[in-house]
Amino acid sequence: MWKLLVCSVLVRLACHVDLVAGERGVEFLTGNCSYSPKYFKNFSLTIVDNLLNMDMDLNRPIQRGFKADIDIQLRLANAKNFQSMFNQKSDVCALTSGVKNSLFKTWFKDMTKDSNFMYNCPVEVGHYYLRNWRMGSSMTHKFLIPGEYRAKVNFFYGKYATKSYEEALTLTIDAILSN
Ligand SMILES: *[C@@H]1O[C@H](CO)[C@@H](O)[C@H](O)[C@H]1NC(C)=O
Ligand SMILES: *[C@@H]1O[C@H](CO)[C@@H](O)[C@H](O)[C@H]1NC(C)=O
């Protein structure tokens, strides 16, 4: 078994967030992540002035069977806990090359303009990054309720609750969505 490592995370909040007029705003609050050293040499997440940065070194190629589970949770005003609003599991390699649109694909496509992410699998060993990515309003149109959100994205191989399950990377990001 590979012990998960905690990613390097830096969050520096902007004093005020400049939102483009007429845009619904997403303000990142905090984040954390963990990764398996079997799949990543290193992983770091930085949020500075509401822009998201990621740096990763792959330890082995990303192949078919690499899955993403996106869980979007909302905490209503005065509620204690987050509740899942939306959950989607997809095969990352099949998804990025397929025609079907999904939340993950929309995000991934938008991120590719600020990154060197690869569209085709296998994704070879190397250094990949996302620089100064802002979550625009086209990313959030599905979430109509303003409030406190938590996005949890788990990347894994195999199947949950079976011996084949192997966690590769889990990211948790808290954000406020305002109107
Ligand atoms: C990340 O934050 C979530 C929510 O607070 C928590 O459940 C999880 O254990 C944290 N993970 C790490 C690696 O710190
Ligand atoms: C991982 O990356 C971070 C940020 O780039 C760096 O500070 C750290 O030393 C790296 N850790 C390893 C084990 O390479």
Side-chain angles (χ1 to χ4, degrees):
M1 265 318 253
W2 296 77
K3 199 167 168 271
L4 295 175
L5 302 179
V6 175
C7 308
S8 142
V9 176
L10 172 84
V11 181
R12 205 174 69 208
L13 298 176
C15 303
H16 66 97
V17 178
D18 291 318
L19 298 172
V20 180
E23 262 209 0
R24 301 173 70 210
V26 175
E27 188 184 345
F28 297 123
L29 294 178
T30 177
N32 73 22
C33 66
S34 59
Y35 65 96
S36 164
K38 177 175 175 183
Y39 294 101
F40 294 92
K41 268 200 199 88
N42 199 356
F43 195 102
S44 68
L45 173 74
T46 316
I47 298 169
V48 177
D49 297 343
N50 220 31
L51 300 172
L52 190 67
N53 299 276
M54 285 195 264
D55 273 280
M56 65 200 86
D57 286 298
L58 288 186
N59 235 347
R60 58 181 69 204
I62 289 177
Q63 324 238 23
R64 257 182 193 262
F66 188 68
K67 299 189 191 98
D69 177 357
I70 299 190
D71 192 46
I72 308 281
Q73 302 164 8
L74 170 67
R75 178 156 67 186
L76 293 169
N78 303 321
K80 218 166 126 201
N81 298 312
F82 284 90
Q83 282 185 3
S84 182
M85 299 243 333
F86 176 89
N87 183 274
Q88 184 190 295
K89 286 186 202 66
S90 346
D91 187 304
V92 175
C93 296
L95 191 84
T96 50
S97 59
V99 289
K100 202 170 146 244
N101 263 315
S102 65
L103 183 70
F104 181 76
K105 192 173 179 181
T106 309
W107 288 6
F108 186 81
K109 259 172 112 172
D110 195 76
M111 283 176 171
T112 52
K113 65 183 194 319
D114 298 321
S115 75
N116 68 342
F117 292 170
M118 308 282 295
Y119 242 90
N120 296 308
C121 290
V123 176
E124 296 302 337
V125 166
H127 178 79
Y128 297 94
Y129 60 82
L130 173 73
R131 292 264 188 280
N132 297 329
W133 182 70
R134 183 184 297 280
M135 181 170 273
S137 55
S138 61
M139 309 286 100
T140 58
H141 64 276
K142 279 202 158 76
F143 311 108
L144 301 172
I145 309 169
E148 221 180 310
Y149 282 84
R150 172 167 292 164
K152 198 173 155 201
V153 188
N154 180 27
F155 292 95
F156 63 101
Y157 281 100
K159 252 184 162 167
Y160 277 137
T162 71
K163 260 196 201 147
S164 65
Y165 176 77
E166 268 189 290
E167 181 173 336
L169 172 72
T170 298
L171 301 162
T172 305
I173 294 177
D174 287 0
I176 302 252
L177 177 66
S178 53
N179 261 332

